[in-house]
Amino acid sequence: MHDRKARRLVEATLVDGITRAEAEKAEAEWKPYLEEQLKRMAAEGVPKERWPQHGHWDWRQKQEVADAYLAYRMFGIECQSQMQGLMLVLTAGKDCRIESQKGKPMAYVHFLAAAPWNLATVAPDPRFSLVGSILVATAIHLSIEEEFQGRIGLHSLPQADAWYRNSCGMTDLGRDHAVQDLRYFEMTAEQASEFLK
Amino acid sequence: MKTNLSKEWLTKRVERDEKADVSAGMLDLGRLQAEPPTARVESIQASAETENLHPAFGRLINLWRRKRGLRMDVLANRAQIDVTELIEIERNLHYTPEPRTVYQLAKTLELPSERMLELSGNLVVRDSSLGEEAVRFAARSESVEKLSKDEQRALEEFVKFLSEK
Amino acid sequence: MQTGTPSRKTMTLNLTEAEMQALDELSATKDISKTAVLRQALRLYQMVEVRTARGEKLFFEHDTTKQKAELMVL
């Protein structure tokens, strides 16, 4: 991962298969930090555009799903004994929509989030970057392992739209009315290969 | 699973990630439908309660606003939020508002912000009593033009509960 | 980076001609190996099983007409 303050890469661990204890610890650390920062932002009168667009997901519940279903895999990035990002991926039941790969299976990123102290919209001094890149790369590697050739898909939260489109080179298939009008992004095998270069 | 990410690749990605707040997934909490039967009771209850909280949040805002005799556009203006979002909150039982909107409403209507964040689905709730009270409140309140005596009583009791914790 | 790849066991399958053909066709359509097809089938079956055990029903919804129909074709 990249330590923003020290301006260098630091050692991190990709955890494949988050345990209940790890999910509980992450929630126990993420939630109070987020609450504290939201209070601060309200007190400081931070303008609307700079607020985060969502609160906090229940990662414990997601971990239980990953534990119980073969189709779900859960990953985390651990650095300095704290979970810096979490991701839940679905590996069955979601097919590609881009015409050139329509109907082919993909690894669908069901949820992806960085710890709140890493978010520019929440933390006064975000600690680490590369959470998004590492987790997207992980999803691609999982897709390859599953023989989906790197194809992935996800519904982006609005603040991340531009990043998936421009920085990851994913195809923006527009608003999905079936999923809260969130924009749906998909990656072809070629785009995935390009991303990993 | 092999994920060899080279130092060069990571360094190249640093610039691209610099200002990005990356996230993906549905806005609703606890919307993951695939609940296993072996999940702990506590977790199933917590998720069911998250589902129960949304209607209570919208109903609370609606009754509180009507009690004060405020039109939606007036409340939206005072709270400095979009009126379209306020409409969604009051009419769409499954809508999760943005955290700032919740804060602004809490401030304007003088309700406790942390509880409101939980009730709106923005923060995970581990307190089962909130879910129970929310269900009770939602069930007792109905949408009529003027607040009935029952609605008033239900509203007052629920607000008292929120303020006590 | 650490990984948690589980160990794998080998199994022999006895399939009819028709089942083998269906497997071949799915493998070609989905552009994945036959093993991967069966893995997908197992994952989906498990998800369906858990939810139906909870009392839910599996439906298809027509994209245009929005008409719902249960899993059976007729």
Side-chain angles (χ1 to χ4, degrees), chain A:
Chain A
M1 301 204 64
H2 182 248
D3 184 323
R4 289 179 191 256
K5 202 171 177 183
R7 293 185 185 219
R8 61 184 176 86
L9 293 175
V10 293
E11 201 67 34
T13 305
L14 177 71
V15 183
D16 177 357
I18 299 288
T19 64
R20 182 172 176 88
E22 284 167 334
E24 282 179 349
K25 183 172 177 282
E27 192 169 296
E29 288 166 351
W30 290 20
K31 186 183 169 188
Y33 181 90
L34 179 64
E35 281 172 21
E36 194 187 299
Q37 293 307 317
L38 292 179
K39 269 196 194 116
R40 175 190 61 78
M41 292 168 74
E44 290 176 6
V46 168
K48 184 182 169 153
E49 320 70 61
R50 287 177 34 211
W51 276 69
Q53 288 166 338
H54 70 101
H56 174 73
W57 286 305
D58 186 346
W59 287 104
R60 274 199 277 170
Q61 193 228 21
K62 283 152 186 51
Q63 188 279 329
E64 283 177 0
V65 167
D67 243 4
Y69 294 102
L70 298 168
Y72 281 97
R73 293 275 288 272
M74 192 160 165
F75 298 89
I77 307 173
E78 198 175 32
C79 186
Q80 295 178 4
S81 304
Q82 286 185 305
M83 214 50 83
Q84 304 297 335
L86 287 167
M87 177 174 70
L88 184 69
V89 186
L90 177 60
T91 61
K94 286 281 189 187
D95 286 346
C96 294
R97 301 182 198 182
I98 292 177
E99 204 51 49
S100 61
Q101 55 189 32
K102 200 166 181 150
K104 297 210 166 116
M106 65 152 78
Y108 175 74
V109 178
H110 209 146
F111 290 95
L112 185 160
W117 51 76
N118 292 327
L119 298 173
T121 44
V122 171
D125 283 308
R127 284 171 58 191
F128 294 107
S129 65
L130 288 184
V131 171
S133 286
I134 293 170
L135 289 176
V136 167
T138 302
I140 292 171
H141 279 118
L142 175 61
S143 171
I144 291 168
E145 183 185 79
E146 293 291 331
E147 299 181 31
F148 306 158
Q149 299 178 34
R151 296 184 196 109
I152 63 169
L154 53 88
H155 286 86
S156 168
L157 292 191
Q159 282 165 332
D161 285 350
W163 187 78
Y164 288 115
R165 193 184 302 116
N166 304 327
S167 184
C168 296
M170 292 180 80
T171 302
D172 180 352
L173 277 90
R175 293 198 186 284
D176 188 344
H177 303 305
V179 186
Q180 299 167 334
D181 269 359
L182 298 179
R183 298 196 87 86
Y184 173 67
F185 290 86
E186 199 170 286
M187 210 179 236
T188 62
E190 295 73 26
Q191 288 167 339
S193 175
E194 200 54 42
F195 181 83
L196 291 178
K197 271 196 194 142

Side-chain angles (χ1 to χ4, degrees), chain C residues 34-73:
Chain C
K34 291 193 266 288
T35 305
V37 170
L38 291 169
R39 230 178 243 132
Q40 289 286 290
L42 180 56
R43 291 169 189 178
L44 288 169
Y45 197 17
Q46 187 195 41
M47 281 201 285
V48 168
E49 180 56 28
V50 168
R51 294 181 73 168
T52 48
R54 272 199 341 231
E56 291 182 69
K57 266 196 180 133
L58 180 63
F59 278 98
F60 278 98
E61 185 186 83
H62 194 277
D63 206 25
T64 322
T65 65
K66 300 298 172 197
Q67 202 169 8
K68 281 191 174 62
E70 285 196 61
L71 185 57
M72 50 193 186
V73 176

Side-chain angles (χ1 to χ4, degrees), chain B residues 37-76:
Chain B
T38 53
R40 291 185 197 180
V41 170
E42 162 203 325
S43 177
I44 288 172
Q45 280 175 349
S47 155
E49 276 153 19
T50 307
E51 303 260 335
N52 288 333
L53 295 179
H54 288 210
F57 180 75
R59 191 63 58 74
L60 174 67
I61 300 299
N62 172 267
L63 292 188
W64 201 241
R65 174 181 64 75
R66 283 163 50 210
K67 184 183 170 177
R68 292 181 171 203
L70 296 175
R71 285 195 330 251
M72 274 197 204
D73 57 337
V74 172
L75 173 56

